[in-house]
């Protein structure tokens, strides 16, 4: 393996976009014309994203633990290490850890022309997050 570029520091997921303790490692970031961004996202038990969309969709690949994903209008679905989830372009959804376990997933997106990778909306209603 050849390391060509220092990886940015791990950073905390901001409270406006996440509930609970979330940490992101950026593994791949856009350097024109490459527009793929890949993160390893670490969710503490109960932590999850707010509702959001991705302009070009998203691939989630769970590397550790057990988590949850929900698409607008759909049921909350369990995901676990080894699972891969495809989110359609502009599909409202959220994802995160299950209530009592850590979960880590790789998240892969392609940035739009203007660099946008996600549009963020409201936090998940606590009544909709399984106890
Ligand atoms: Mn997403």
């Amino acid at each position: 393996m050849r390391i060509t570029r220092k990886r940015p520091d791990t950073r905390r997921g901001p409270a406006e976009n996440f509930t609970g303790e979330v940490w992101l490692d950026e593994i791949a970031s856009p350097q024109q014309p490459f527009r793929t961004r890949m993160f390893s996202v670490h969710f503490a038990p109960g932590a999850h994203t707010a509702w959001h969309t991705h302009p070009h969709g998203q691939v989630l690949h769970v590397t550790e633990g057990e988590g949850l994903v929900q698409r607008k209008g759909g049921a909350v679905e369990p995901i676990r290490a080894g699972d891969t989830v495809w989110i359609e372009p502009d599909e409202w959804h959220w994802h995160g850890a299950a209530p009592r376990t850590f979960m880590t997933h790789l998240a892969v997106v392609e940035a739009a022309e203007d660099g946008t990778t996600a549009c963020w909306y409201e936090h998940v209603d606590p009544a909709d997050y399984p106890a």
Side-chain angles (χ1 to χ4, degrees):
M1 186 175 89
R2 181 156 173 256
I3 294 171
T4 56
R5 202 158 73 90
K6 188 181 180 300
R7 209 164 74 177
D9 290 345
T10 300
R11 62 177 197 266
R12 189 186 289 266
E16 61 263 38
N17 299 339
F18 297 93
T19 296
E21 191 89 358
V22 180
W23 292 87
L24 299 98
D25 286 315
E26 185 154 17
I27 292 172
S29 54
Q31 292 187 295
Q32 291 298 338
F34 188 74
R35 289 205 271 141
T36 301
R37 294 184 82 180
M38 180 163 72
F39 295 87
S40 181
V41 189
H42 313 273
F43 295 88
H48 54 276
T49 70
W51 286 101
H52 63 286
T53 61
H54 304 284
H56 292 178
Q58 181 177 50
V59 172
L60 300 173
H61 180 75
V62 183
T63 54
E64 280 186 82
E66 296 178 16
L68 301 168
V69 59
Q70 184 178 26
R71 304 160 199 274
K72 199 81 171 180
V76 177
E77 297 175 82
I79 51 176
R80 56 184 52 82
D83 288 346
T84 302
V85 177
W86 166 247
I87 303 296
E88 299 287 343
D90 298 320
E91 181 174 44
W92 282 57
H93 68 289
W94 62 266
H95 34 105
R100 285 171 288 279
T101 59
F102 278 87
M103 191 273 282
T104 300
H105 66 45
L106 296 174
V108 183
V109 292
E110 185 189 353
E113 293 282 346
D114 65 358
T116 303
T117 54
C119 296
W120 293 94
Y121 300 98
E122 66 266 32
H123 283 282
V124 176
D125 187 325
D128 294 335
Y129 183 87

